[in-house]
Amino acid sequence: MAGRLDGKRAFITGASSGIGRATAVRFGREGARIGLVARRQGELEAVAAEIRDQGGEALVLPADVSREDQVEHAVARLVDAWGGLDVVVGVAGIELIEGGDARVDQLELSAWQATIDVNLTGMFLTCKHGVRALRASGGGAVIVTGSPTGLYGLALSEHAYSASKAGCHGLARVMANEYARDNIRVNVVVPGFIDTPINAPVFADPTVVDEICATIPARRPGTPDEVAAMMVWLASDEASYAVGGFFVVDGGQTAV
Ligand SMILES: NC(=O)c1ccc[n+]([C@@H]2O[C@H](COP(=O)([O-])OP(=O)(O)OC[C@H]3O[C@@H](n4cnc5c(N)ncnc54)[C@H](O)[C@@H]3O)[C@@H](O)[C@H]2O)c1
């Protein structure tokens, strides 16, 4: 059976866990070849093995997205291996829920900087080197992982994280405008409350989970695979007229 991403070469950051991992596995099932990016080689090898077990093809590309030399090298390895690039998915991110993120009057510069380095500078570097490779390949798709926290002031005591995601949204908008003429579609996926390791401190307290779910019309957290399904569509040729959009996958949380 033909896959929806047959022939596509994809570069996915944050591919070792959560939404990035689910996206990589789904991309593999849909026929894409995937360059898997995160810092730890062993975790990426496990994802690559899962993709290969299902008949897919994957490259393990360990890199810290906040380090330009490492991102540039990872993109170059993918292009060397497969002759070009068609899809860039920026998923890597951190949320210092118990690691120093705070309201602005209590926020240490170090926690602000650490968050911005990975979430915003990492997204910039992923886009910078990813878009260079897409342009050399004649175009493609970029998907930026955003957040409701970058749209609304709802994440109390997470001011660095919220600002980092709003920055990603701004970068994606102007990229969408500028690169559409180069046959590059840039879009944002906005996951709501998703059950992944980034939310481990939240899921450790069932009362807090219940409180959050009460604010979500679907009354439950989402799964990484439910977000990955949107990533597949945006990466596919079916999304040919989707440019500069914000695609919310949140059980209705931001509709109310
Ligand atoms: N889970 C949610 O509720 C939710 C909601 C909105 C947005 N998001 C965003 O989705 C993205 C994925 O998060 P997740 O929920 O899957 O969490 P996760 O912790 O499971 O995954 C984060 C991934 O980013 C990688 N990563 C972290 N720092 C990195 C670095 N410096 N270099 C390279 N890779 C790095 C991790 O290794 C991991 O693969 C993040 O950008 C997050 O902000 C998540």
Side-chain angles (χ1 to χ4, degrees):
M1 215 173 81
R4 294 156 78 200
L5 301 179
D6 275 349
K8 304 242 186 255
R9 299 155 295 190
F11 183 85
I12 304 180
T13 72
S16 64
S17 168
I19 294 167
R21 180 181 179 131
T23 300
V25 171
R26 258 200 187 237
F27 271 42
R29 281 206 299 269
E30 294 290 351
R33 286 174 283 177
I34 311 111
L36 305 166
V37 179
R39 285 156 303 170
R40 284 178 281 275
Q41 169 124 12
E43 293 178 9
L44 293 176
E45 295 287 2
V47 183
E50 187 176 342
I51 291 169
R52 289 176 192 135
D53 282 350
Q54 297 176 1
E57 205 176 323
L59 266 181
V60 168
L61 304 169
D64 180 334
V65 293
S66 68
R67 295 278 308 273
E68 180 158 23
D69 54 338
Q70 296 185 18
V71 176
E72 185 173 16
H73 181 63
V75 172
R77 278 189 57 200
L78 187 153
V79 170
D80 279 353
W82 293 332
L85 181 64
D86 307 292
V87 181
V88 175
V89 191
V91 188
I94 58 171
E95 191 172 1
L96 301 179
I97 297 173
E98 289 178 339
D101 206 349
R103 53 192 241 194
V104 75
D105 65 300
Q106 292 165 7
L107 181 54
E108 295 293 341
L109 179 59
S110 56
W112 167 269
Q113 199 70 62
T115 304
I116 297 296
D117 281 353
V118 176
N119 293 6
L120 184 52
T121 305
M123 191 65 76
F124 152 61
L125 293 172
T126 299
C127 290
K128 174 177 176 178
H129 294 285
V131 165
R132 283 183 178 177
L134 294 181
R135 283 169 61 98
S137 305
V142 177
I143 304 169
V144 167
T145 307
S147 169
T149 64
L151 297 169
Y152 305 104
L154 51 78
L156 301 182
S157 295
E158 289 190 56
H159 293 204
Y161 182 78
S162 301
S164 74
K165 287 295 174 179
C168 290
H169 294 175
L171 176 63
R173 277 197 189 92
V174 72
M175 283 174 56
N177 183 11
E178 190 114 35
Y179 291 118
R181 71 200 70 166
D182 296 327
N183 194 32
I184 296 174
R185 296 181 298 103
V186 182
N187 289 287
V188 180
V189 168
V190 182
F193 179 48
I194 312 298
D195 187 355
T196 71
I198 216 173
N199 281 324
V202 179
F203 278 93
D205 186 343
T207 315
V208 176
V209 174
D210 286 348
E211 279 168 17
I212 295 173
C213 288
T215 70
I216 302 171
R219 295 287 183 265
R220 65 169 177 88
T223 67
D225 205 45
E226 289 175 308
V227 181
M230 180 63 83
M231 301 284 196
V232 167
W233 182 73
L234 284 169
S236 77
D237 294 337
E238 293 169 349
S240 49
Y241 202 54
V243 175
F246 283 62
F247 294 85
V248 171
V249 184
D250 72 347
Q253 190 177 25
T254 55
V256 291

